[in-house]
Amino acid sequence: MTFSELLQGILARVEGSIGIAIMGLDGLAIEHVQVPSKMDLGERVALIATSHATLLRNTMRMSSDTGVGALNELTLMSDNFLLVVRLIGREYFLIIILNPGGNLGRARFELRKAHLLLEKEFV
């Protein structure tokens, strides 16, 4: 299964999903896909994912500095989007972007499953 196929499958199973990406902490996308009906959001999906790489690096550093343990997952809610980020090793992450009514529980579940599949690839 390719990265693209994996991501497309997640989008199909998560109600309210807009886009999903595998990203490096350097902000570069390894792979990303978006829901076809949301193609006008394509550039925004890439921008959101890239912009959150910096936030994720800072949150990882804060987590380490304060002794709360390693960061595994981060959820962000705004007026227009819901984002779930799941780390893959120390250098990569999955990010899914949902509309505000999207299925957060299913998104978290699918990212956890994908994490288990991808962690061998990104170690």
Side-chain angles (χ1 to χ4, degrees):
M1 176 183 302
T2 67
F3 292 153
S4 180
E5 290 169 337
L6 175 68
L7 298 180
Q8 288 171 356
I10 293 169
L11 284 185
R13 291 187 297 274
V14 178
E15 182 181 335
S17 58
I18 295 169
I20 187 168
I22 302 171
M23 303 285 299
L25 283 175
D26 56 5
L28 297 177
I30 307 301
E31 185 68 66
H32 75 278
V33 295
Q34 60 265 340
V35 174
S37 64
K38 305 291 185 181
M39 291 301 281
D40 58 320
L41 292 175
E43 286 185 25
R44 194 179 323 175
V45 168
L47 178 62
I48 289 168
T50 300
S51 298
H52 281 79
T54 301
L55 175 64
L56 189 56
R57 283 193 309 271
N58 290 338
T59 305
M60 290 172 65
R61 188 172 31 256
M62 179 277 307
S63 189
S64 175
D65 291 350
T66 59
V68 298
L71 181 68
N72 295 313
E73 185 178 281
L74 182 65
T75 303
L76 300 160
M77 296 180 195
S78 71
D79 291 339
N80 299 318
F81 298 107
L82 176 61
L83 297 99
V84 182
V85 177
R86 179 83 189 181
L87 286 164
I88 309 169
R90 297 179 48 98
E91 298 294 323
Y92 301 95
F93 64 95
L94 284 158
I95 182 169
I96 189 166
I97 303 166
L98 310 167
N99 66 41
N103 189 334
L104 175 61
R106 184 63 184 218
R108 292 184 68 220
F109 175 73
E110 292 293 339
L111 290 190
R112 175 69 176 137
K113 285 184 359 185
H115 169 261
L116 294 172
L117 290 172
L118 293 171
E119 67 184 343
K120 298 173 198 114
E121 301 284 335
F122 290 98
V123 174

